[in-house]
């Protein structure tokens, strides 16, 4: 599966990992998962998206932009952190940056993303994080 979504802090921090080739159907399903998780979570809900292993998005640019703009903009949403190797700007992170109503941060590792969220939201500092083994 090219997109994995999980809570790394229960009901507070979502981690999405995109790998390989991602199709329009997979991307739409991913966005729907985000909406659902945000509804279930406890504010503020932060989201980390790791795009370092993505090869390409098989989605026309206009459709991709329309789908990304459909992300929820609620007071429940905190930071959206995009992890992209060497701070490269791929289509996903570039589109996310265009959404001015969402607070976005770019970083080059998952460790840096987690540290950033802990710095920005003190309620996450002394809480249990379920971090994948392949942290970097």
């Amino acid at each position: 599966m090219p997109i994995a979504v999980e809570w790394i802090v229960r009901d507070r921090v979502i981690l999405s990992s995109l790998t390989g080739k991602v199709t329009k159907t997979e991307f739409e399903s991913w966005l729907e998962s985000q909406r659902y998780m945000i509804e279930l979570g406890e504010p503020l809900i932060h989201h980390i998206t790791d795009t370092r292993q993505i090869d390409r998005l098989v989605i026309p640019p206009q459709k991709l932009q329309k789908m990304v703009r459909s992300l929820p903009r609620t007071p429940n949403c905190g930071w959206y952190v995009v992890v992209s190797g060497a701070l490269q700007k791929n289509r996903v992170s570039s589109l996310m940056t265009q959404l001015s109503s969402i607070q976005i941060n770019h970083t080059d590792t998952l460790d840096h993303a987690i540290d950033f969220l802990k710095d920005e939201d003190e309620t996450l500092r002394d809480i249990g994080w379920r971090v994948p083994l392949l942290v970097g």
Side-chain angles (χ1 to χ4, degrees), residues 122-134:
E122 64 186 35
T123 66
L124 298 174
R125 292 181 188 154
D126 298 318
I127 202 166
W129 286 72
R130 202 187 81 181
V131 182
L133 292 178
L134 298 175

Side-chain angles (χ1 to χ4, degrees), residues 40-92:
L40 293 178
E42 295 179 23
L44 286 175
I45 300 158
H46 305 286
H47 193 143
I48 300 172
T49 297
D50 188 346
T51 64
R52 293 174 296 173
Q53 299 299 316
I54 194 168
D55 293 330
R56 66 185 177 116
L57 292 170
V58 188
I59 307 168
Q62 289 91 358
K63 288 197 184 284
L64 181 63
Q65 188 172 32
K66 183 178 179 182
M67 288 187 290
V68 170
R69 289 189 188 277
S70 75
L71 282 171
R73 292 173 189 83
T74 72
N76 295 347
C77 294
W79 281 93
Y80 197 100
V81 183
V82 179
V83 180
S84 54
L87 294 176
Q88 70 188 29
K89 303 283 186 189
N90 61 35
R91 284 177 29 187
V92 175

Side-chain angles (χ1 to χ4, degrees), residues 9-27:
V9 173
R10 185 181 171 100
D11 297 331
R12 294 291 317 283
V13 180
I14 301 167
L15 173 63
S16 295
S17 301
L18 285 69
T19 59
K21 180 178 78 171
V22 178
T23 66
K24 178 180 177 278
T25 302
E26 292 160 340
F27 199 84

